[in-house]
Every structure is written in structure tokens, then in C-alpha cells.
Amino acid sequence: MQHSKSEANVKAIEEDARVATGIPGFDEMLEGGFPAGSLITLAGRPGTGKTIFGSQFLYYGAKEHKEPGMYVSMLEGRKQYQRNMHRLGLEIAPLEAKGLFRFLEMPTLTAEGLPAIWEEIVRNIEEYNIVRLVIDSFTAMTQAFQTQGDLRVFTHMLLGKIVGGAGCTTLMITETPHADASTGAGAAMQEFIADGVLHFSLVPVTGDARVRYLEITKMRGTDHQMGLIPVEIGSRGISVQSPHVGGRA
Ligand SMILES: Nc1ncnc2c1ncn2[C@@H]1O[C@H](COP(=O)(O)OP(=O)(O)OP(=O)(O)O)[C@@H](O)[C@H]1O
Ligand SMILES: [Mg+2]
């Protein structure tokens, strides 16, 4: 069983299959979705929509395509997460009962403890035939590292296991500290190693108003939308508006 699922993943990757997010308006901006088996970094400041985006991606896959997904959380507990998702109309429990959704709560550990965390993630991917994976967050997970070098070696090794080995399409959430992340000036290691990068932002306009944007700054092997893409978060979650013409911040 396990074996055949992994083969299915490999086949999807070879055929350059696309993994649709189901986020209204988004998939058509990148040839139907993320490349199967790719590693995508979701970067942005707090409250910009990264968790909601990742959760909708898993929910859609599970509900519409019966693809098992896993949310690995270092930041919030299962109950809190479920409550937040319920408010957006995403009912996780029935999918969990069918083995189509898994919430893996992970503590933030020391650098020594990290291999154990990764082992646990990989074990769950194999045991539950996970096809879609969200890690929330890379930042929380790697805070224990002292040097960029350690972090880099470790990330390469273990992402090789997840992305290369199991072949699941992975969204890795990264918290960015800077107000304007869209220029790419502060691009970090996780953006270089990723196959794709999405930047989430919340930009002040006149008065107290704020506009939410999403920008695809990288997507290997894909003809994708360029520039700032207006997005909205409402009671049904995140959705994409028609693109901003000529968009640069
Ligand atoms: N029902 C809703 N209607 C409108 N906006 C909402 C609703 N629910 C959540 N939001 C908005 O979405 C934001 C949370 O999005 P999300 O949790 O995905 O952010 P995040 O990027 O993961 O943040 P963090 O880095 O803090 O985890 C809230 O701050 C709020 O502005
Ligand atoms: Mg979040």
C-alpha cells in the first residue's frame, strides 16, 4: 500500500502533474496548480494569510480529491486550530475520521531534538500515505540552530527525505520580519532551496485601510502570474481577486 502510494507520487512528478489548491482564482495563475511533489515556501508577516492558505490547500485535496493531507504545527494546538478552521467553514474532524486529514502537533525543541521531529514527520507521511503536507512553521522549527551553515545542511538533508523520498507536495510556512518582502531583497535560504515561493503581504492604503496581496516570486518550470495579486480573506477563507496590472510595490 505504502509503496504503491509513493509510486503514484513519483508518477505524478514524472508526468509534470499539477496539484490544485482549490483557492478560488489562484490555480489558473500557475498552469493549474503547484508542480506535483514540489516544495513551496509561503512567506509573510503575521496575519497575512499563510495558515489559511495552507489549510485550504489541504482541505481541498482531502475533500475533493481524497488526497490525504497533514498539517504539522509548531505554533498552535489541535483544538485551537480546529476552532479557527471551523470559523472559515473548514470542517476538519470528518476528514480526520476518514484518514484524509492529520494534524501533527510538534513541540519546538533544541537542535539535538530536531532529527527526531523530522523522523516523526516522515513516519507519518509513510504511515498515512500523505500526499499534501504543510509545515507551520519552518521558522519555529529551526530557531534552535546557531548558524546558517548548520541550518542549511540539515534542511537539505531532511527535505531530501520528504520531497525527494515521499514525493508529497509540501508548503513550508516562513515568518518574515520585514514590512516589504516583495522585493526579494531579504530572500532567505528557504527561498533558494524551494521550487516555488509565495509572498503574502498586508499593505496600508489610504486611512486605516489595508489591502492583502499575494505574489508568486518563484515557481520552477511554470509560466505564472507576475506582480502583486490582490487577495481577500472572509468568512469563506482566502480568495484571489483579479490581478493588479503591472504590479510592483
Ligand atoms: N472570518 C474572517 N473574516 C475576515 N478575515 C479573517 C477571518 N478569519 C481570519 N481573518 C484574517 O486572517 C488573518 C489570519 O490569517 P492567518 O492565520 O492565515 O495568518 P498567518 O499568516 O498564518 O499569521 P501568523 O504568522 O500569525 O500565523 C487574521 O489576522 C484576520 O485578519
Ligand atoms: Mg499562521
Side-chain angles (χ1 to χ4, degrees):
M1 273 295 275
Q2 251 167 251
H3 195 61
S4 66
K5 184 50 101 183
S6 161
E7 274 173 7
N9 279 341
V10 170
K11 190 158 176 280
I13 294 165
E14 279 170 359
E15 289 174 351
D16 190 26
R18 295 280 153 173
V19 179
T21 63
I23 287 164
F26 181 69
D27 296 318
E28 48 269 41
M29 293 184 170
L30 64 168
E31 295 187 35
F34 299 126
S38 59
L39 170 70
I40 309 295
T41 290
L42 308 187
R45 300 185 77 201
T48 51
K50 306 178 298 296
T51 292
I52 295 176
F53 187 100
S55 302
Q56 277 178 235
F57 164 78
L58 293 182
Y59 189 84
Y60 173 80
K63 186 124 176 117
E64 303 301 327
H65 297 286
K66 305 271 179 290
E67 294 177 358
M70 180 163 73
Y71 197 92
V72 179
S73 175
M74 280 87 191
L75 300 176
E76 63 188 339
R78 186 168 168 277
K79 280 272 169 303
Q80 177 73 47
Y81 178 79
Q82 248 185 3
R83 254 199 311 274
N84 293 344
M85 291 307 114
H86 170 74
R87 291 223 39 207
L88 298 167
L90 308 180
E91 304 302 342
I92 302 298
L95 294 174
E96 282 180 318
K98 289 183 198 154
L100 290 171
F101 190 97
R102 187 156 175 78
F103 186 87
L104 193 62
E105 205 173 323
M106 286 284 176
T108 313
L109 289 180
T110 58
E112 294 74 47
L114 269 166
I117 287 189
W118 282 100
E119 288 302 328
E120 177 74 355
I121 293 172
V122 171
R123 195 184 62 72
N124 273 272
I125 289 172
E126 289 170 355
E127 186 173 341
Y128 297 94
N129 294 325
I130 299 300
V131 174
R132 298 181 182 222
L133 177 69
V134 174
I135 296 175
D136 192 0
S137 71
F138 181 78
T139 316
M141 184 186 261
T142 56
Q143 258 161 8
F145 283 101
Q146 302 294 324
T147 71
Q148 279 292 308
D150 286 352
L151 177 58
R152 199 177 186 113
V153 168
F154 181 77
T155 306
H156 267 290
M157 180 181 78
L158 290 155
L159 289 177
K161 265 193 200 173
I162 287 183
V163 181
C168 44
T169 307
T170 302
L171 307 190
M172 195 164 69
I173 292 175
T174 305
E175 291 130 37
T176 44
H178 306 295
D180 180 21
S182 65
T183 60
M189 194 264 294
Q190 61 274 15
E191 298 191 26
F192 291 112
I193 61 168
D195 301 302
V197 179
L198 306 188
H199 277 283
F200 291 76
S201 55
L202 190 55
V203 178
V205 286
T206 44
D208 291 336
R210 299 281 183 279
V211 184
R212 293 182 187 281
Y213 291 108
L214 175 58
E215 186 174 13
I216 306 169
T217 57
K218 169 176 177 180
M219 195 61 60
R220 282 185 185 135
T222 305
D223 178 17
H224 63 82
Q225 178 75 41
M226 299 294 283
L228 297 176
I229 301 162
V231 297
E232 248 175 43
I233 300 178
S235 59
R236 306 298 298 164
I238 199 161
S239 60
V240 168
Q241 313 299 296
S242 59
H244 181 79
V245 179
R248 271 232 77 87

